Amino acid sequence: MKRLFFYGFALFVLISIVYGMAYDFITGAEIHYDFYGAGFVAWLVFFGILKLVLRV
């Protein structure tokens, strides 16, 4: 069950990052790739820590 939660949450975060980039592209806003890159790295660190805590 922990593994399902972990991978489901990771999929949600990945989809939300892609959605944010697509929304910026569709609305014509400037896409800040450094912001999305930093957010992606922060989530990777978070999931690394979460994986250690949950022992997934």
Side-chain angles (χ1 to χ4, degrees):
M1 189 65 183
K2 288 188 288 188
R3 184 172 299 207
L4 182 64
F5 167 76
F6 179 79
Y7 288 119
F9 191 52
L11 183 64
F12 170 75
V13 169
L14 187 62
I15 289 172
S16 68
I17 290 172
V18 171
Y19 172 78
M21 290 179 72
Y23 184 79
D24 283 352
F25 179 76
I26 289 171
T27 58
E30 183 178 348
I31 299 174
H32 298 281
Y33 292 104
D34 54 342
F35 172 74
Y36 290 111
F40 182 71
V41 170
W43 278 112
L44 283 178
V45 170
F46 173 75
F47 280 116
I49 293 169
L50 188 64
K51 191 171 184 176
L52 289 174
V53 169
L54 293 178
R55 294 189 172 104
V56 173

